[in-house]
Amino acid sequence: MRIGVIGGDPCSEQDGLRAFEAGREIARRGHLLITGGRGGVMREACRGAREAGGTTIGILPGDDDSEANEFVDIPVVTGLGHVRNAIVVRTSEALIAIGGRYGTLSEIAFALIHNKPVAGLGTWQLTDPAGQFVPVIPFETAAEAVDYCEQFAKE
């Protein structure tokens, strides 16, 4: 399974720890990690996955692979800037959103448009204009978030 971890660069220490744990859990279960390939949450998720023996794929916004963090195994150079967020989402079967800013919010929106499950660890909690809860399911631990991704990505 390909699980994306999305979140901010830079990130808080707490979000970095959440990302590291998510990356480690994804790799421990034998899944591929997809990120935006740069710093912050993306770097920490890749670091966690690498330490657990996993494979990391970084979908990069720029024109060369030099912007990839040192834990990206497979850099994908897009030259698309923030538009690459759609590629992160489309490549992933499920996503874990950690913290984040507007780039993360755009990835959440792309995921919901394409019916991809989104687990949240300290991230955006949203409602639609009618006040209905938007399905970014909050979790306390990376293991719970990965459980959710495994369960709902197959549906």
Side-chain angles (χ1 to χ4, degrees):
M1 174 179 275
R2 296 176 314 275
I3 299 177
V5 172
I6 56 177
D9 176 18
C11 69
S12 69
E13 185 176 330
Q14 182 178 24
D15 286 344
L17 180 58
R18 288 173 172 145
F20 177 84
E21 292 295 329
R24 186 167 66 180
E25 190 67 22
I26 289 165
R28 188 184 71 70
R29 297 186 193 196
H31 304 307
L32 292 173
L33 173 68
I34 309 294
T35 72
R38 296 179 76 190
V41 162
M42 298 167 280
R43 180 185 183 278
E44 291 306 302
C46 288
R47 186 170 71 87
R50 175 77 67 80
E51 285 190 15
T55 300
T56 63
I57 300 169
I59 311 294
L60 301 167
D63 292 324
D64 64 66
D65 64 4
S66 67
E67 65 187 326
N69 71 63
E70 66 271 33
F71 303 107
V72 170
D73 294 311
I74 302 168
V76 178
V77 177
T78 69
L80 295 174
H82 288 289
V83 175
R84 71 76 151 85
N85 292 353
I87 297 170
V88 171
V89 170
R90 294 294 291 189
T91 302
S92 302
E93 295 171 81
L95 296 108
I96 299 172
I98 300 171
R101 300 185 320 219
Y102 295 124
T104 306
L105 183 58
S106 76
E107 289 168 312
I108 291 169
F110 283 128
L112 297 175
I113 288 167
H114 295 290
N115 297 312
K116 306 273 180 132
V118 181
L121 293 171
T123 194
W124 296 85
Q125 291 300 298
L126 308 168
T127 58
D128 67 15
Q132 299 298 311
F133 179 71
V134 175
V136 176
I137 310 301
F139 293 97
E140 293 296 318
T141 69
E144 292 170 335
V146 175
D147 286 343
Y148 175 78
C149 289
E150 289 175 332
Q151 178 179 357
F152 289 100
K154 296 175 182 172
E155 293 183 0

